[in-house]
Amino acid sequence: MVHMTQAPARPRAARRQHDREIVMLAVPAFGALVAEPLFVMADSAIVGHLGTAQLAGLGVASALLMTAVSVFVFLAYATTAAVARRVGAGDLPSAIRQGVDGIWLALFLGAGVVAVVLPMAPALVDLFGASDTASPYAITYLRISSLGIPAMLIVLAATGVLRGLQDTRTPLYVAVGGFAANGALNAALVYGAGFGIAGSAWGTFIAQWGMAVAYLIVVLKGVRRHGASLRPDLAGIRASAQAGAPLLVRTLSLRAILMITTAVAARMGDSDIAAHQIVLSLWSLLAFALDAIAIAGQAIIGRYLGAGDAQGARQVCRRMVEWGFAVGAALGVLVVLARPVFLPLFTGDSTVTDTALPALVIVALSQPISGIVFVLDGVLMGAGDGPYLAWAMLITLAVFTPFALLVPVFGGGLTALWGTMALMMAVRLLTLWFRTRSGRWVVTGAAR
């Protein structure tokens, strides 16, 4: 377990309090996280009936859009930590003001991304290797949907505001409402109005801005209640960007790891890349469950440190590690038991199934490690320890890359490749464990 300074044994009442806080924040957070990829699934289900070329175009455009948005996930992480600290310090007007700065940063970044994507859409689609038949559909969808990127970045930042305020229920409600609106609008515009793939893009655009407006209404109420300012504050926006920059490095390093893994699998052959996609989809789904606990960690740790309660922060960190390990172990058992049911949902090819099975075992065995990693990642984010997280992930990338690239050389196959993914998680565990054990992350006060 994480090293703690000597202190009296925690009473059961405090333990139960920590459990209630974790559950109350993590469960709604998990629902909101799962709702997000349902946007793409709904679009795919509706567009898929238009034709193969349209679906292929959607696939390319969606990959580009999801990459553009996921790179800026630090807007949620950094804002959560900053707002939670000020909540813990009892300074709600400052907490709201910090959140407003994050939203302004999201709007500026979103406008910049749109300015790049709109003229470069054909080149970006070509870079992803879209076929001649799929390219026109990909360009159409990308250009229209890119107009919703500022909205999605606002959603990220506003989600961070509410998480920092210890509210994960509102993001769940907004995510579910957005998913429902997206599905209805897509069906109406694609089939009812006959707009084809452009209808799907416009439906997603409207749903995304609807979600952004819903969040802004909630934040505006907080601004009015606590007398905070809505005007952009350049110093505050710059501070939000500086806090988010290390987390951007962390996210890009993680994306690089996933891209390297997929690139190596693609060179192994069709069966291997097909099996890899199945395993990766399950790994991503499991990550949502573990990330929900990490989100609870960001919010709770930030609040404790903001309140000046260093001992409480250490105690809740330890309890979260226990939660992460337990949930990870349970998910690992579930993966082993569900393999016979899970694999046939994706393929009837016995070669693909045989290739995926041992890789799934590695995923299952590594889940307890992943559980602890996600929790400690969230704890250090909540503590505002972004620079260390950036360096830790760069070290992990440096260790992982040569092992992954050597897999085809030694003929280890997909099982060996996912063994390097387990190694990656083990390296992350070591770097995060040492930092948590050192206690250097425990910096109290309204700002780090």
Side-chain angles (χ1 to χ4, degrees):
M1 292 301 164
V2 179
H3 175 75
M4 301 295 167
T5 57
Q6 293 295 323
R10 291 170 293 156
R12 290 186 178 180
R15 188 185 183 94
R16 287 196 297 268
Q17 179 188 347
H18 293 328
D19 289 344
R20 281 196 301 270
E21 287 182 326
I22 294 168
V23 171
M24 287 177 63
L25 290 172
V27 173
F30 174 68
L33 289 169
V34 171
E36 292 173 10
L38 293 179
F39 266 83
V40 178
M41 292 179 62
D43 288 0
S44 300
I46 292 171
V47 171
H49 292 286
L50 294 175
T52 302
Q54 288 90 333
L55 184 59
L58 173 67
V60 171
S62 293
L64 284 164
L65 289 165
M66 290 179 68
T67 298
V69 173
S70 65
V71 162
F72 296 106
V73 73
F74 69 84
L75 289 167
Y77 294 158
T79 305
T80 297
V83 172
R85 273 186 175 269
R86 286 158 177 80
V87 169
D91 189 357
L92 287 178
S94 178
I96 298 294
R97 176 67 254 184
Q98 184 73 34
V100 170
D101 291 336
I103 291 173
W104 276 112
L105 175 62
L107 183 60
F108 292 149
L109 289 174
V113 173
V114 172
V116 171
V117 172
L118 277 178
M120 292 188 62
L124 291 170
V125 168
D126 184 62
L127 182 65
F128 264 58
S131 66
D132 292 339
T133 54
S135 286
Y137 298 112
I139 293 169
T140 297
Y141 190 93
L142 180 59
R143 278 180 167 161
I144 296 171
S145 290
S146 68
L147 300 175
I149 289 177
M152 293 309 295
L153 298 192
I154 289 172
V155 166
L156 285 175
T159 300
V161 175
L162 295 180
R163 288 174 181 170
L165 294 171
Q166 316 297 297
D167 176 11
T168 57
R169 290 181 179 273
T170 300
L172 172 61
Y173 299 148
V174 175
V176 171
F179 167 68
N182 180 65
L185 287 167
N186 270 256
L189 295 176
V190 171
Y191 299 123
F195 290 165
I197 194 169
S200 176
W202 282 117
T204 300
F205 164 82
I206 295 170
Q208 288 169 342
W209 275 104
M211 292 173 66
V213 169
Y215 274 115
L216 291 175
I217 290 173
V218 174
V219 173
L220 182 59
K221 288 181 179 178
V223 168
R224 289 175 175 172
R225 184 181 305 116
H226 298 289
S229 173
L230 273 175
R231 289 179 299 179
D233 175 49
L234 292 181
I237 293 171
R238 184 164 55 248
S240 294
Q242 290 172 345
L247 297 181
L248 174 61
V249 173
R250 168 201 168 275
T251 300
L252 289 174
S253 299
L254 182 57
R255 296 291 300 183
I257 287 171
L258 296 177
M259 289 175 63
I260 290 170
T261 306
T262 300
V264 171
R267 296 184 180 184
M268 294 179 178
D270 290 346
S271 296
D272 290 275
I273 186 59
H276 171 72
Q277 288 303 113
I278 294 172
V279 177
L280 183 61
S281 67
L282 178 61
W283 187 83
S284 300
L285 179 61
L286 298 173
F288 283 130
L290 299 175
D291 200 29
I293 305 175
I295 287 170
Q298 294 170 31
I300 297 172
I301 291 293
R303 193 187 79 233
Y304 271 92
L305 293 177
D309 188 354
Q311 183 62 16
R314 291 188 179 95
Q315 289 179 349
V316 77
C317 172
R318 177 167 184 163
R319 186 58 178 156
M320 284 183 178
V321 168
E322 294 168 357
W323 268 83
F325 179 83
V327 172
L331 290 174
V333 172
L334 185 61
V335 169
V336 173
L337 297 177
R339 283 183 306 161
V341 178
F342 177 76
L343 288 173
L345 294 176
F346 290 85
T347 182
D349 189 331
S350 60
T351 303
V352 174
T353 301
D354 292 343
T355 303
L357 277 172
L360 283 177
V361 172
I362 291 178
V363 170
L365 293 175
S366 64
Q367 283 309 293
I369 294 176
S370 297
I372 299 174
V373 166
F374 274 77
V375 165
L376 295 182
D377 203 41
V379 165
L380 296 184
M381 282 185 190
D385 206 9
Y388 181 82
L389 289 173
W391 281 110
M393 190 57 79
L394 286 172
I395 292 170
T396 302
L397 174 62
V399 173
F400 165 82
T401 300
F403 282 97
L405 295 179
L406 286 173
V407 168
V409 176
F410 290 100
L414 190 68
T415 303
L417 181 60
W418 275 90
T420 64
M421 285 289 284
L423 171 66
M424 179 269 292
M425 295 304 292
V427 173
R428 290 187 69 189
L429 176 61
L430 288 175
T431 57
L432 298 176
W433 187 286
F434 287 143
R435 183 62 169 185
T436 310
R437 185 181 178 86
S438 74
R440 294 178 182 175
W441 58 279
V442 184
V443 179
T444 59
R448 184 177 173 87

